[in-house]
Amino acid sequence: MTTEIEWWDYDDAAEMADAVAGDIGFIIESAIDARGAAVIALAGGKTPLPIYEKLAKAKIDWKRVTIIPGDERIVPLGDALSNVTAIGKAFLPKGARVIPLVSATAPDYKAAGRAADALLQDLHWPLDLVLLGVGGDGHAASIFPGPDFDEALNGPKERRALGVMPDPLPPEAPVARVTLSKAALTTARAMMIAVTGDAKRQVIEDAVKGGQSSPYPIGRILADVELPVDIHWAP
């Protein structure tokens, strides 16, 4: 199976933020029209923050929207490394429901993953949208090489989230994670990727060529997506 991928190139990150926010808004509105609610997973990190700023200004019935992070670092709410904290700052004031993936009470990262999975079993599934970023090492969400890599890629189809310990730990955020599984990501009704810089573009192009045997996590994810994927790129 070859995933259909469409690249969208922009002059700069601001132009990309406008376009991606518009596309996400359309997907949310379509889901609300279809069944009265939308459930989406958004990427963490710095690149998508301008997108969220634009999106939060859209005239959407935010009370009908549930947002989860596609992955989360196992840190306290409010920590600078917390993805849900940044997402919450943008959308909670609008009335959206923003659900943290990490419970402060979990004794270890595996238990944190099981708790997140149980939480997500209560949401409408599949997700209406997954927005992913891609790391310079080719990781997406928190599907990293390490002891939990195979489980994240090939675990039970019904598992929506799990705890992962990247190996090596990324220096900018050297903590364990909770991530959506590959099955949870690839069954979404829409998948979009937003990245900046030539290096990440090259990683994604190489990952797509490698397909199922790609050493890059994003290559393994994209090889399993049945719907077309939009990749938004700015220098």
Side-chain angles (χ1 to χ4, degrees), residues 197-228:
D198 291 331
K200 287 190 181 180
R201 185 182 184 113
Q202 191 62 55
V203 164
I204 296 171
E205 287 176 351
D206 292 347
V208 169
K209 283 191 195 104
Q212 289 285 12
S213 55
S214 172
Y216 295 116
I218 187 61
R220 307 282 284 277
I221 293 164
L222 288 173
D224 246 16
V225 180
E226 292 182 10
L227 295 168

Side-chain angles (χ1 to χ4, degrees), residues 33 52 79 95 125 133 168 205:
D33 287 348
Y52 304 158
D79 189 289
W125 216 260
E205 287 176 351

Side-chain angles (χ1 to χ4, degrees), residues 18 31 46 53 71 73 98 121 155 160 175 191 213 223 230:
D18 271 340
K46 301 279 187 294
E53 212 174 289
D71 68 312
R73 291 113 175 216
V98 179
Q121 297 296 333
R160 296 178 181 177
V175 293
M191 180 182 284
S213 55
D230 288 319

Side-chain angles (χ1 to χ4, degrees), residues 21-23 32 44 54 56-57 72 74 87 105 111-112 119 139 156 162 181 188-189 223 229 234:
D23 287 359
I32 291 173
K54 301 268 187 197
K57 293 176 180 154
E72 184 58 285
I74 300 181
I87 292 168
T105 55
L119 181 74
H139 83 268
L162 68 156
S181 65
R189 294 177 193 280
V229 176

